[in-house]
Amino acid sequence: MTLIQWFIFFLALQVIHFLGTWKLYEKAGKNKWLALVPVYNAIVFMDIIKRPKWWVILLFIPVVNLFIFAAIWVDTVACFRHDTPKDKWLAVLTLGFYIFKINYDEKTQYRPIKIKNDDSFLSAVVFAVVVATIVHTYIMQPYAIPTSSLEKSLLVGDYLLVSKFHYGAKTPTTPLAFPMVHDSLPFGGLKSYLSKPQLPSFRFPGFRKIKNNDIVVFHWPADTVYMFRDAQQRHIDKPLDKRSNYVKRCVAIAGDKLEIRDGKIYINDTLSKMPYRADLQYMYDVTTKDNQKLSKEFFKKYNITEGGVLKNKYILNLTKGKYEALLKNPIIKSVVRKNDPKDVFNKALFPHSIDYKWSKDNYGPLQIPKKGDVVPLNKKTFPLYKRLIEVYEHNDIQLDGDTVLLNGKPTDSYTIKQDYYWMMGDNRHNSEDSRYWGFVPFDHVVGTPVFIFWSWDMTAPSFGKKIKSIRWNRVMSTVAGDGERVSYRYWFLGAILLYILYGFVAKRRRK
């Protein structure tokens, strides 16, 4: 919907509100025409139903406003002597239109609501849900690592707290959705939202910008999966804010020149320096002396979780430390890192054009688009910018012979409207990342993980084995930082015990 369409929709809501409540305003001793004044009518109505005026602010917060509207409908029927459970359910199930009947009922009388114990409990529940939804939507969101693309930096089964305020929280574009879940419900895998209507999105100011090698959570730009690990492999077109969340390392920011040479990343022709806790992995061809077989104990000893066997060699995913450790093992004959050569066309890699013969180990050079950049448009650059211009910046772009048509008109350049980023996994040979689907727009960025609050092997076959697999050294630890990872679980438990003890002592003193 355009801004004009939303304005018309907003005015239509005011008319509906007036038609459904003007007599109620009169019965409450208010001027009926106040029901037509945008925003002020909501302030007046809060006074009628004896709810705090700051609730008006919550009416304009997507997702949160669903609960507030429901609470207002219930309070409205109660204030006008229709406070049976049936009346309250009808008010909610008809999306408030049941109030029309009450408005035109001559027997309707105004009675300021009196908060009962059960109403107080209901208000507390609504308040708790509203606060939790605000925190989840705009401040901090839990997130579970679903894939191994960041192994061994972040592990499958790490449960993270993702800060949305670092880069600036975004308002949801999908207003009709279950709170505190993403694209599917936790039970049954049903869709958790309605695709229409869609709201324009706004991003609050963040307190810092994305930096090179930050770990970032973002909406997967190429997402069409119904949900992660969907056995039926269903496909669906999702709204922007309901696309699957990915977590990768931002190796290049807007304005950078990216190049991968023999698996190493160069930014602006300088070798990129990884953070201390970044533990990169590559695939290696491993051969043993006299073709000896490697035992399960061998893989467990070196914590090797990915790999296989091909003829007389093993193909194993190793960090630098494990590579060096294997070289010292007496049964190992050779350990050679795989390196996809230059100048070999790989259709799976972005931009999926024969003009760009890049591999996952030898890629680029490629300029990462920055807001305000003017990029050339021609037959060769068309594959680089087609999706960016068409999908992310909502234009029509076509190639007619050697001529690029932008919104039906010939052009040889385009001005970028937002910043873009290049995301890659630390598991360099087993990561579906920007090398496969290209740039990540800033409006897809969700936030950055700051804390690991739980960690276990989520692939363990039983709950008992999951308990045994708990990674205590990772529980209650920070994601970023220099030096070895430190768990603060004992400090956290100590703080909880002190809080409980303080509450107990305070209660005894009051008595």
Side-chain angles (χ1 to χ4, degrees):
M1 293 175 68
T2 64
L3 288 177
I4 294 177
Q5 289 172 326
W6 276 111
F7 180 71
I8 295 172
F9 176 70
F10 179 73
L11 292 181
L13 285 181
Q14 307 310 308
V15 173
I16 292 171
H17 176 75
F18 174 78
L19 294 176
T21 60
W22 67 273
K23 285 193 173 185
L24 302 184
Y25 276 75
E26 286 188 328
K27 292 179 185 293
K30 308 292 183 182
N31 190 316
K32 64 183 178 182
W33 296 110
L34 292 177
L36 265 179
V37 182
V39 183
Y40 185 66
N41 55 8
I43 296 173
V44 173
F45 207 75
M46 291 302 111
D47 183 55
I48 291 174
I49 63 175
K50 305 304 178 186
R51 290 299 179 185
K53 292 180 175 60
W54 56 263
W55 274 31
V56 176
I57 299 173
L58 301 180
L59 291 174
F60 294 91
I61 301 178
V63 181
V64 171
N65 55 11
L66 299 180
F67 297 98
I68 299 302
F69 276 120
I72 290 172
W73 297 332
V74 170
D75 285 346
T76 300
V77 298
C79 277
F80 291 91
R81 292 185 178 275
H82 290 73
D83 57 354
T84 66
K86 176 183 176 182
D87 290 317
K88 293 177 180 180
W89 276 110
L90 284 172
V92 174
L93 294 177
T94 61
L95 302 181
F97 282 97
Y98 180 66
I99 296 172
F100 272 73
K101 174 183 178 298
I102 297 173
N103 183 60
Y104 293 102
D105 187 347
E106 295 299 330
K107 297 180 181 179
T108 295
Q109 295 180 340
Y110 176 60
R111 177 189 61 189
I113 191 170
K114 294 181 180 180
I115 303 298
K116 303 176 184 177
N117 288 336
D118 55 345
D119 291 332
S120 180
F121 173 75
L122 179 62
S123 297
V125 171
V126 170
F127 179 76
V129 172
V130 167
V131 171
T133 302
I134 290 174
V135 171
H136 183 275
T137 306
Y138 299 101
I139 302 175
M140 198 77 70
Q141 175 182 339
Y143 177 77
I145 298 291
T147 67
S148 63
S149 65
L150 275 172
E151 299 261 347
K152 300 292 184 179
S153 302
L154 291 176
L155 309 179
V156 175
D158 279 350
Y159 290 80
L160 314 174
L161 288 179
V162 176
S163 166
K164 294 188 172 183
F165 57 83
H166 272 68
Y167 308 136
K170 281 181 57 186
T171 58
T173 60
T174 308
L176 301 180
F178 279 90
M180 293 177 287
V181 295
H182 192 52
D183 56 340
S184 59
L185 297 175
F187 304 104
L190 298 175
K191 194 168 73 168
S192 65
Y193 60 91
L194 295 179
S195 298
K196 294 182 179 180
Q198 286 289 296
L199 297 173
S201 184
F202 167 78
R203 186 183 289 274
F204 292 96
F207 70 82
R208 77 175 184 85
K209 295 184 177 181
I210 300 175
K211 299 178 181 178
N212 290 86
N213 295 317
D214 277 0
I215 295 179
V216 178
V217 174
F218 56 95
H219 301 307
W220 182 23
D223 183 25
T224 58
V225 298
Y226 190 79
M227 61 180 179
F228 273 124
R229 299 186 178 91
D230 182 21
Q232 301 178 44
Q233 295 185 334
R234 292 168 288 182
H235 288 248
I236 186 173
D237 290 325
K238 299 179 181 178
L240 171 57
D241 61 334
K242 293 302 176 182
R243 291 177 182 169
S244 299
N245 287 333
Y246 264 31
V247 57
K248 307 283 182 185
R249 192 177 298 280
C250 179
V251 298
I253 62 174
D256 283 346
K257 183 179 80 169
L258 166 87
E259 188 172 5
I260 305 175
R261 307 173 191 168
D262 297 326
K264 295 180 180 180
I265 293 176
Y266 287 78
I267 301 299
N268 303 322
D269 296 316
T270 301
L271 180 64
S272 180
K273 184 180 180 181
M274 291 290 111
Y276 179 84
R277 292 185 185 176
D279 211 358
L280 305 185
Q281 286 195 126
Y282 297 90
M283 286 292 183
Y284 289 80
D285 289 333
V286 179
T287 58
T288 59
K289 295 177 181 178
D290 301 322
N291 294 326
Q292 296 182 59
K293 289 186 177 180
L294 301 179
S295 65
K296 290 183 179 180
E297 288 73 21
F298 177 92
F299 291 103
K300 187 175 182 179
K301 175 183 177 181
Y302 292 100
N303 191 24
I304 299 172
T305 55
E306 295 179 345
V309 182
L310 181 63
K311 295 182 178 179
N312 294 325
K313 65 181 178 181
Y314 289 87
I315 302 174
L316 304 181
N317 211 359
L318 306 174
T319 62
K320 181 181 179 181
K322 292 172 186 173
Y323 159 74
E324 292 172 348
L326 288 192
L327 288 178
K328 297 176 183 177
N329 191 299
I331 71 168
I332 299 299
K333 181 179 179 181
S334 66
V335 184
V336 180
R337 186 169 70 81
K338 285 185 170 295
N339 185 22
D340 285 3
K342 299 178 182 179
D343 301 324
V344 176
F345 174 54
N346 185 342
K347 188 178 181 180
L349 297 179
F350 176 83
H352 319 290
S353 169
I354 191 67
D355 289 326
Y356 300 89
K357 295 180 179 179
W358 298 340
S359 73
K360 58 187 176 184
D361 290 311
N362 290 278
Y363 194 99
L366 176 66
Q367 192 73 24
I368 310 301
K370 184 178 182 179
K371 183 178 179 180
D373 282 354
V374 179
V375 296
L377 291 181
N378 51 53
K379 188 174 183 179
K380 184 174 182 179
T381 62
F382 183 79
L384 288 174
Y385 302 115
K386 180 180 185 299
R387 183 174 179 84
L388 180 156
I389 294 171
E390 186 174 59
V391 178
Y392 307 146
E393 303 200 353
H394 314 293
N395 296 281
D396 177 58
I397 184 170
Q398 298 178 18
L399 184 64
D400 184 12
D402 292 334
T403 303
V404 176
L405 301 177
L406 181 64
N407 298 319
K409 298 180 180 179
T411 186
D412 59 2
S413 65
Y414 177 79
T415 303
I416 303 296
K417 302 298 189 294
Q418 63 175 315
D419 287 339
Y420 289 82
Y421 301 88
W422 196 261
M423 310 290 185
M424 287 177 57
D426 291 353
N427 195 350
R428 291 291 159 80
H429 285 160
N430 191 18
S431 172
E432 185 179 350
D433 51 38
S434 284
R435 290 171 293 180
Y436 295 87
W437 30 257
F439 310 114
V440 174
F442 185 51
D443 65 8
H444 283 52
V445 171
V446 175
T448 182
V450 294
F451 202 67
I452 302 172
F453 65 89
W454 187 254
S455 182
W456 64 3
D457 182 4
M458 63 190 305
T459 64
S462 66
F463 182 75
K465 291 186 177 180
K466 280 184 169 68
I467 292 296
K468 291 181 180 179
S469 72
I470 295 174
R471 307 167 185 129
W472 291 109
N473 64 317
R474 301 180 71 84
V475 174
M476 297 295 172
S477 65
T478 56
V479 172
D482 295 325
E484 297 299 325
R485 193 180 304 278
V486 177
S487 172
Y488 296 96
R489 63 185 184 278
Y490 295 121
W491 290 95
F492 180 77
L493 291 173
I496 292 177
L497 290 175
L498 285 175
Y499 178 78
I500 295 172
L501 181 62
Y502 171 79
F504 175 76
V505 172
K507 187 175 180 181
R508 289 290 298 271
R509 285 184 176 179
R510 284 194 297 268
K511 290 182 177 181

